[in-house]
Amino acid sequence: MVKHGVRTYRIVYRTVDAARRPTTASGLLVLPRIGDRRLRVVSYGHGTSVHRADVPSTPDGFAASPGVLYGAAGFASVSPDYLGLGSGPGTHPWMHVRTEASASLDLLRAAREFTARTDRTLDRDVLVTGFSQGASAALGLARELQRRADPWFRLGALASISGAYALRDAEIPALLAGEVQQPYGVVYASYLFVAWNRLFHLYRDPSEVFQQPYADKVEKLFDGSTPGEEIVAALPNDLDKLLTERGFELLRKPTGQMAVGLRQADSVCEWAPRTPLRLYRATGDEQAVTANTDHCRSSLLRHGVRAPIVELGEPEYQGSRHLGSAVAGVTATARWFQQL
């Protein structure tokens, strides 16, 4: 897929936070070194990051490589860091689709303005994709583009990779059943409670859902300043040692604000895309279980859309089938986008 050299830029731009207040965010813009004045554009949503430096706009990282590949294949590509990551202030509202979509759309607008300074134009039809957390972000952005949230950009195609589209009905039951490999399950459960408490006020004190000694340190671990390997070392390798009975109850039978958050997150497939669409997944994904994709396809079908599932097989990267699906899926989507 690598056919062109690229120029990469970190874009810092205005957007809004979860309370719809003005803030800033950062993201990656990649422009191919080709003579075309009008460029087709790919928007890529990256997977979960706990450390603010592990984002697309940081050079040479795993999160940056998809945007570089799309650029090298001849597209202009944008990859948001999301709120509270990269150079953005505050903490990251993990799995909050509305701000993932708004940060992604505002990066597209900023990229269009910046690209105009290079005497080039971004095409109106956006090819939207994303991996893991970014798969939900991609669906959220695609929905906003189809609703004509921006007067210029439109939805051109949608390709999501290995997403957790059904937290309540697929991902959390798999987590509780031990089907999500550790230490990922412990990290995801911790991130969910900490990030969503900031959004939805799930508890007054961390000790309500976290056992000691983790209750005293878990919120600091997920403020964006701690690298992932240090978080893994600081947490147990078993949910039974991490969560209180109240914590388990919120996962097993979510009520109140927990249920509100889950309804919002799980709404990403509850609409009808009117453009080419594909759902990509890998067999035996140890983090985003494959039942998520089945639930998403069923939701789309209820809205009259038949979404093909593309099986990526059993790819692995650094011993992970989940990360392997990112490598295989990004390459597959780039090929598909070129064919459209």
Side-chain angles (χ1 to χ4, degrees):
M1 301 304 298
V2 176
K3 299 178 180 179
H4 311 284
V6 299
R7 292 186 184 276
T8 62
Y9 305 88
R10 167 180 273 193
I11 303 294
V12 180
Y13 60 99
R14 291 187 293 266
T15 187
V16 295
D17 66 12
R20 304 183 194 275
R21 297 170 301 206
T23 188
T24 59
S26 56
L28 175 70
L29 169 65
V30 182
L31 297 178
R33 294 174 180 261
I34 57 179
D36 296 357
R37 296 285 301 277
R38 190 180 187 94
L39 298 172
R40 299 171 72 199
V41 58
V42 173
S43 176
Y44 172 80
H46 70 85
T48 294
S49 173
V50 293
H51 190 220
R52 65 172 53 252
D54 295 333
V55 291
S57 71
T58 300
D60 304 323
F62 182 82
S65 58
V68 173
L69 176 65
Y70 292 123
F75 301 98
S77 73
V78 293
S79 304
D81 294 339
Y82 308 140
L83 297 182
L85 297 173
S87 67
T91 56
H92 175 51
W94 186 59
M95 294 298 290
H96 188 237
V97 177
R98 178 169 57 78
T99 55
E100 291 166 354
S102 60
S104 300
L105 182 56
D106 286 337
L107 177 58
L108 277 167
R109 293 165 171 153
R112 183 185 177 217
E113 180 179 334
F114 177 84
T115 304
R117 302 176 192 175
T118 69
D119 294 324
R120 294 161 123 185
T121 301
L122 298 184
D123 192 75
R124 301 187 70 176
D125 294 326
V126 183
L127 308 171
V128 178
T129 185
F131 160 70
S132 194
Q133 177 188 354
S136 291
L139 282 155
L141 171 63
R143 183 168 54 189
E144 291 304 300
L145 289 172
Q146 184 164 289
R147 290 172 177 171
R148 300 310 303 271
D150 184 85
W152 174 258
F153 290 113
R154 303 176 301 199
L155 179 60
L158 173 58
S160 60
I161 307 165
S162 303
Y165 317 107
L167 291 176
R168 182 165 189 163
D169 293 328
E171 189 67 15
I172 289 177
L175 176 69
L176 294 172
E179 297 170 12
V180 177
Q181 190 180 104
Q182 301 298 359
Y184 307 113
V186 165
V187 172
Y188 288 146
S190 303
Y191 209 0
L192 183 69
F193 277 127
V194 171
W196 281 21
N197 189 58
R198 296 168 183 150
L199 291 167
F200 303 113
H201 310 296
L202 305 179
Y203 54 80
R204 290 188 178 90
D205 189 274
S207 62
E208 294 175 31
V209 296
F210 296 106
Q211 297 184 44
Q212 294 292 2
Y214 312 108
D216 288 341
K217 58 185 177 181
V218 68
E219 293 191 336
K220 173 62 177 173
L221 289 175
F222 290 93
D223 67 359
S225 65
T226 307
E229 60 271 18
E230 294 182 21
I231 291 177
V232 170
L235 293 174
N237 201 38
D238 190 329
L239 281 177
D240 289 335
K241 297 177 181 178
L242 175 74
L243 298 179
T244 65
E245 185 54 40
R246 173 59 177 159
F248 276 112
E249 191 68 14
L250 281 173
L251 295 178
R252 293 189 187 109
K253 298 178 181 179
T255 59
Q257 288 299 101
M258 184 70 174
V260 170
L262 289 171
R263 281 196 299 272
Q264 292 181 15
D266 291 348
S267 71
V268 291
C269 298
E270 296 290 346
W271 60 295
R274 296 192 297 270
T275 57
L277 164 66
R278 289 183 175 182
L279 305 175
Y280 293 78
R281 70 180 179 188
T283 303
D285 192 317
E286 81 283 0
Q287 296 182 49
V289 296
T290 55
N292 281 289
T293 305
D294 294 326
H295 278 271
C296 184
R297 177 173 58 178
S298 297
S299 296
L300 292 166
L301 188 58
R302 286 196 297 270
H303 288 79
V305 174
R306 294 185 178 275
I309 294 178
V310 179
E311 303 288 355
L312 296 169
E314 301 180 354
E316 289 201 2
Y317 179 77
Q318 294 185 348
S320 167
R321 189 72 54 80
H322 188 58
L323 294 181
S325 73
V327 176
V330 166
T331 307
T333 57
R335 290 196 180 103
W336 183 53
F337 289 158
Q338 285 193 328
Q339 295 166 6
L340 292 176

